[in-house]
Amino acid sequence: MKRVLVWDVPTRLFHWLFATSFAIAWLTSENDQWLSVHTFFGYLMLGLIGFRLIWGVAGGHYARFTSFRYSPMAGLAYLRQVLSGSGTRYLGHNPAGSQAVYLLLALGLAVCITGLFTQGGEEQQGAAAGLMSIAAGRMVKEGHEITAILMLLLVFGHLAGVAVESWLHKENLPRSMVTGIKDAPEDAPASRPYRLTGAMMLVAVTAFGAWWFFYALHHPIEKRLGYGEGVPHVAFVGTKLPDNAQWREECGSCHLAFHPSLLPARSWQRMMAEQEKHFGTDLALDESTSKALLDFMVNNAAEKSAREAAVKINSSIKPEDAPLRITETPYWVKKHQDIAESDWRSAKVKSKVNCGACHQDAEAGTFEDAAMHIPR
Amino acid sequence: MLRKSYTSGLMFMVIAGLAAQPVFAETPDQILASIQNDAKATPGFQGFSAARGESFFKAKHGKESSCVSCHTDNPAAQGKHATTGKPVQPLAPSANAERFSDPAKVEKWFKRNCNDVLGRVCTAQEKGDVLTYLLTIKK
């Protein structure tokens, strides 16, 4: 027996980065506040999978697909062997573990791609922004959730396998995935460490993280929305909405200039037709101003927008209704029904008209999921 | 040749400098003068009074809200819309140079806010008194 390097540095880095990415992406999936973190680890996983596919051809001996090319039948046969307590010890991936590797890579790829299209469809953001409708994005989201659950189950299977193998062959497999070293027969080939490739991986991941969190997200949203310090989380930057200086001036003097995409055209038409009783005030706008405002609002009304809020608000309103308050639209009501009464009454919120209390990007009109934070 | 380009460069800088200044069509005094012109048409007009303007500004006029509901009783301070909570920039020209510089805006807001506070348009006397009062406010 001798000590042999089995898992080269890039393979070990891949393993732990992939595991960590999946764990964090799973944990940040429920709360929109962490969407930017969730998405970062999604992109990272995608990159890691791409690397692993290349490394399966170009990497160290035990990392190459040719060293663990087993059929699913061989995997099942090996599982039966292990369950009867007589599994052969493999230095690299055993036949069952190989199936886990292939399936995890395939499912990981499916999770990443469905995630990409969920974000591109539902939020019209990210690398796949605009390639899919919101409705299609919602269907892809189902697939995203199912593949993620399957992947989690497979991770549990993988962990069980590691535990059983470690016990069966009296060796510490998790430690080997850290050190790379295993006890091996004299004739076993050793892998090269590939330290330089590993270092390059670390540099690439760090650079990507720095770019993502300090530039791609944080910097622009703070700059664009004029925030100072103390933004509690990183908000997402979507596409900029159509803007109009006159509209912002006229509609934004007394209240937030509610973006036209938050109500259908018929609501804006009614709003201007009834401007002499605009929530208790006679707007008394002259004809040319009224027309200019109405033109901007109708041209950019909810039905003209592919934004999530616009599409969902618009489809929730009955065709015969033309609500004047966004807070009266069924989608708004449903979306806000779980907010505690105490949060509404809080001094930082006070009123439903105060969108900006929780939606950092209310002024921009984008209402990104990740820009929502209830002040407490 | 050199001199010519120097001159035109200087001209350009002057024009660019002028263009960069905020353009206020009129001064508050010019706007007050035009209100005074309207007021003179009323028989018995005896000029504007800052004191009368102040009490008008701070009084209620049969409606729920008054001027101070949104502008606060210190016109040099930032106010807050009574219903929506949206910040209202200071009203006194000493604290906010944009105020009373655009006749169309002055017209629009007197019309809308007098209607909110009094349920009618304001007379030239009332407008002139209030603006006279606002011009006495020091920052």
Side-chain angles (χ1 to χ4, degrees):
Chain A
M1 293 290 259
K2 62 173 182 182
R3 310 270 289 159
V4 154
L5 182 72
V6 173
W7 307 124
D8 57 47
V9 175
T11 302
R12 279 177 275 153
L13 272 176
F14 162 81
H15 175 270
W16 293 115
L17 284 171
F18 193 61
T20 309
S21 299
F22 180 66
I24 296 178
W26 181 277
L27 294 174
T28 52
S29 62
E30 281 305 311
N31 194 333
D32 283 341
Q33 190 178 325
W34 299 110
L35 193 61
S36 52
V37 177
H38 179 82
T39 316
F40 168 74
F41 284 103
Y43 279 108
L44 184 58
M45 273 171 74
L46 197 57
L48 286 168
I49 291 170
F51 168 80
R52 187 63 184 87
L53 292 179
I54 296 168
W55 205 241
V57 180
H61 175 80
Y62 298 91
R64 290 185 185 223
F65 295 131
T66 48
S67 77
F68 56 102
R69 203 165 54 191
Y70 302 104
S71 70
M73 296 313 293
L76 280 177
Y78 183 78
L79 268 188
R80 268 198 298 274
Q81 256 191 50
V82 171
L83 289 177
S84 66
S86 61
T88 327
R89 179 173 181 263
Y90 285 78
L91 205 49
H93 295 294
N94 67 50
S98 307
Q99 301 310 310
V101 174
Y102 292 133
L103 276 173
L104 280 170
L105 285 175
L107 279 172
L109 199 59
V111 170
C112 291
I113 290 173
T114 50
L116 210 58
F117 280 98
T118 301
Q119 199 202 10
E122 259 206 322
E123 317 288 337
Q124 302 290 313
Q125 286 171 342
L131 295 181
M132 211 177 248
S133 73
I134 289 181
R138 293 174 87 166
M139 281 169 61
V140 176
K141 191 177 179 181
E142 299 287 322
H144 186 56
E145 286 169 3
I146 291 167
T147 44
I149 290 169
L150 288 176
M151 200 169 157
L152 183 71
L153 292 176
L154 202 56
V155 167
F156 286 141
H158 166 62
L159 293 178
V162 169
V164 169
E165 286 278 307
S166 293
W167 170 77
L168 198 62
H169 303 299
K170 309 277 176 286
E171 65 175 334
N172 189 336
L173 286 176
R175 191 178 60 200
S176 293
M177 192 43 88
V178 174
T179 62
I181 308 278
K182 280 189 173 187
D183 287 333
E186 291 301 332
D187 60 342
S191 175
R192 270 179 54 200
Y194 293 101
R195 287 193 191 88
L196 186 64
T197 311
M200 277 159 57
M201 263 176 97
L202 272 185
V203 169
V205 169
T206 311
F208 178 48
W211 175 78
W212 183 272
F213 287 106
F214 291 102
Y215 180 75
L217 295 167
H218 198 67
H219 186 61
I221 193 115
E222 288 215 327
K223 213 170 167 185
R224 187 159 70 83
L225 302 180
Y227 294 119
E229 298 296 308
V231 176
H233 54 87
V234 178
F236 240 103
V237 185
T239 25
K240 205 170 181 313
L241 300 186
D243 214 312
N244 177 301
Q246 189 180 19
W247 159 75
R248 215 166 256 291
E249 159 80 23
E250 293 294 343
C251 301
S253 296
C254 298
H255 52 69
L256 177 81
F258 302 105
H259 198 268
S261 64
L262 302 173
L263 282 176
R266 59 185 184 278
S267 289
W268 299 118
Q269 277 151 348
R270 189 182 151 206
M271 189 101 55
M272 294 313 278
E274 297 176 5
Q275 63 162 293
E276 77 282 358
K277 44 177 183 167
H278 185 77
F279 305 99
T281 290
D282 181 359
L283 297 181
L285 295 166
D286 60 51
E287 207 174 309
S288 73
T289 308
S290 298
K291 189 184 175 308
L293 294 179
L294 189 57
D295 280 351
F296 173 69
M297 296 191 294
V298 166
N299 289 337
N300 298 288
E303 53 269 65
K304 297 282 174 65
S305 174
R307 308 277 319 176
E308 185 183 20
V311 172
K312 289 184 174 175
I313 286 174
N314 192 37
S315 60
S316 79
I317 303 171
K318 287 187 203 150
E320 65 269 27
D321 289 343
L324 298 181
R325 290 178 197 269
I326 297 159
T327 53
E328 281 170 2
T329 63
Y331 174 69
W332 191 99
V333 172
K334 182 170 159 256
K335 200 72 182 165
H336 294 79
Q337 65 188 1
D338 294 333
I339 294 167
E341 199 51 45
S342 55
D343 285 327
W344 285 119
R345 278 200 307 267
S346 136
K348 289 173 181 152
V349 181
K350 272 190 176 162
S351 154
K352 285 178 182 169
V353 81
N354 190 9
C355 308
C358 305
H359 297 277
Q360 299 180 4
D361 56 346
E363 201 71 54
T366 41
F367 292 90
E368 303 291 1
D369 291 346
M372 206 286 293
H373 175 79
I374 296 175
R376 293 210 174 97
Chain B
M1 192 65 190
L2 197 80
R3 189 174 174 83
K4 193 178 170 190
S5 71
Y6 173 75
T7 319
S8 62
L10 192 73
M11 289 256 301
F12 173 78
M13 279 167 70
V14 169
I15 291 167
L18 282 174
Q21 294 293 317
V23 181
F24 297 133
E26 290 191 15
T27 66
D29 289 325
Q30 282 172 306
I31 285 179
L32 185 62
S34 105
I35 296 174
Q36 192 159 12
N37 264 343
D38 295 341
K40 277 177 187 159
T42 322
F45 174 68
Q46 293 184 340
F48 297 132
S49 145
R52 205 159 50 219
E54 180 172 4
S55 55
F56 180 90
F57 190 80
K58 294 181 176 170
K60 282 197 171 188
H61 303 273
K63 287 242 178 182
E64 212 172 289
S65 47
S66 65
C67 308
V68 298
S69 309
C70 300
H71 292 295
T72 80
D73 56 7
N74 174 12
Q78 177 175 289
K80 203 168 91 171
H81 192 282
T83 321
T84 68
K86 173 112 184 170
V88 176
Q89 296 313 310
L91 186 56
S94 62
N96 181 358
E98 269 187 60
R99 293 295 192 186
F100 298 96
S101 63
D102 177 353
K105 269 195 185 180
V106 173
E107 174 84 3
K108 172 184 129 182
W109 286 106
F110 265 133
K111 187 172 178 188
R112 191 181 285 174
N113 291 351
C114 289
N115 195 27
D116 288 338
V117 168
L118 298 103
R120 60 166 172 81
V121 294
C122 289
T123 62
Q125 179 77 60
E126 287 163 339
K127 292 185 205 172
D129 286 344
V130 166
L131 181 50
T132 306
Y133 160 62
L134 293 175
L135 286 169
T136 64
I137 305 285
K138 297 281 176 287
K139 198 178 171 183

